[in-house]
Amino acid sequence: SEENAAMLGKTDIPKCVVENVRNSQTPPSRWTSNSLEDFSLFVILNLAQWPVSKESLVDAGAVDVVKPIMAEGDLQGLKATMACSFLGASWGDFPETGSAAAKSISELMTNIIEKKGKDGQYAYGVFKLYTATKAYRDLSDAAAEDEASTKVLAVPSAVALCFQVVSDLVMAADDEANGGSKYVPDVKSAEYSAGAICNMLPAILQAGDPPRKSIQTEKACGELATMFTQYSKLEGTSEEGKECALKAAEEIKAAGSSARPILEISHDLWTQYRKREGQPLDQFINQEKGIEVDESGPLDFLPCVNSDGQCSIL
């Protein structure tokens, strides 16, 4: 917990666990479960995610000690990757231009939500959703200075997962909504997911080439803008969460005039998930807005009576 991290951060424990990893003569791939090195890295990961203890690890040189372990690609690599994202490692520090980090953390988020572990690495319950979503948010912070880097993170499956975490919290807070999720996220997880979306917006909202109109993009922008707006109004949403949500809502809503391929695919994956969960698909549709159609087009059988040749389907 944050309270325990605050207490431990004032002791020599951060320095000790960093030194345990630094002085290890055993390759990380050969660390056994609950060995001194394995335990020390797990402590580093848990302390790194809290601002109250993070600085103690930074002062102890944790980033330089943990960075090489990211390349391991197994459980130790995953823990090192999340720890480095918490500790503010630069984007260039992550192996394979960040793609390995993005894949492993988004996979962890998926497994937590689906209540399963990963064979040979971790069991369900070892990691919390707020830890995984914060790691993804902090990773997107490192990538945010360069649009090309955010593209590595903004794969539709990961974007849809962030949409899902935020919308599931909105659904859980709506007493009148039917359906739900088998995993109800906490407020912190939703905040971190919204933050990741904000950081990835340049890539998510990249227009198609050549530019074209798209009804699917327009629909996606409308629903997602409504969803983020509703999230911003939830009791318990932090100021940072509100700021990210309203920024996302504004930019997404303004992007509906042109096709956005990544947004379209991400929205479709999110919609498929909601169908599987039996959630109402009209939850985030603005019912007050009509769709203008020209009566000379394929809907000319409608009894439009407007003098300008247009009508609204409500």
Side-chain angles (χ1 to χ4, degrees), residues 261-278:
I262 293 177
L263 182 71
E264 286 186 6
I265 299 170
S266 303
H267 174 266
D268 184 57
L269 292 172
W270 175 56
T271 301
Q272 290 178 27
Y273 158 77
R274 293 165 64 208
K275 285 181 180 177
R276 291 195 302 271
E277 294 295 316

Side-chain angles (χ1 to χ4, degrees), residues 66-73 76-78 80-82 84 89 93-95:
V66 174
K67 270 195 306 186
I69 304 174
M70 289 194 287
E72 291 295 322
Q76 308 304 345
L78 173 62
T81 296
M82 290 195 290
C84 283
D93 290 330
F94 294 94

Side-chain angles (χ1 to χ4, degrees), residues 40-281:
S40 296
L41 183 56
F42 199 75
V43 172
I44 291 172
L45 169 63
N46 280 282
L47 293 180
Q49 67 183 304
W50 304 109
V52 291
S53 50
K54 169 183 171 180
E55 291 305 317
S56 299
L57 292 169
V58 173
D59 292 343
V63 176
D64 289 335
V65 171
V66 174
K67 270 195 306 186
I69 304 174
M70 289 194 287
E72 291 295 322
D74 55 8
L75 174 60
Q76 308 304 345
L78 173 62
K79 291 192 292 188
T81 296
M82 290 195 290
C84 283
S85 68
F86 296 148
L87 293 169
S90 64
W91 182 252
D93 290 330
F94 294 94
E96 300 177 31
T97 61
S99 60
K103 181 179 179 180
S104 62
I105 297 176
S106 63
E107 180 186 40
L108 175 61
M109 290 163 58
T110 300
N111 287 342
I112 294 171
I113 289 172
E114 295 183 355
K115 298 186 176 182
K116 65 182 184 181
K118 185 173 182 180
D119 289 344
Q121 292 200 25
Y122 53 82
Y124 171 69
V126 172
F127 298 105
K128 303 299 183 183
L129 185 60
Y130 61 76
T131 300
T133 51
K134 185 178 191 300
Y136 209 76
R137 194 278 308 272
D138 289 357
L139 190 63
S140 70
D141 280 341
E145 295 181 2
D146 178 23
E147 183 176 333
S149 299
T150 61
K151 289 180 182 178
V152 175
L153 292 165
V155 294
S157 57
V159 174
L161 194 62
C162 291
F163 291 161
Q164 174 184 329
V165 172
V166 177
S167 68
D168 277 351
L169 186 67
V170 174
M171 291 289 296
D174 188 346
D175 294 333
E176 297 181 0
N178 296 318
S181 169
K182 63 183 177 183
Y183 190 102
V184 178
D186 56 279
V187 291
K188 278 294 184 184
S189 297
E191 175 187 324
Y192 299 143
S193 296
I197 291 296
C198 274
N199 288 334
M200 295 187 291
L201 281 175
I204 295 172
L205 299 181
Q206 185 175 35
D209 187 18
R212 60 180 175 82
K213 292 280 290 182
S214 170
I215 294 177
Q216 187 177 352
T217 288
E218 186 176 351
K219 180 177 184 293
C221 288
E223 285 193 49
L224 290 165
T226 299
M227 185 267 286
F228 279 110
T229 300
Q230 289 184 13
Y231 162 67
S232 73
K233 297 176 181 179
L234 291 184
E235 185 178 353
T237 300
S238 68
E239 288 302 315
E240 184 177 355
K242 290 178 182 178
E243 183 179 346
C244 285
L246 292 174
K247 177 186 176 184
E250 180 181 6
E251 294 192 21
I252 290 173
K253 185 176 181 180
S257 60
S258 183
R260 316 283 171 176
I262 293 177
L263 182 71
E264 286 186 6
I265 299 170
S266 303
H267 174 266
D268 184 57
L269 292 172
W270 175 56
T271 301
Q272 290 178 27
Y273 158 77
R274 293 165 64 208
K275 285 181 180 177
R276 291 195 302 271
E277 294 295 316
Q279 297 180 2
L281 298 183

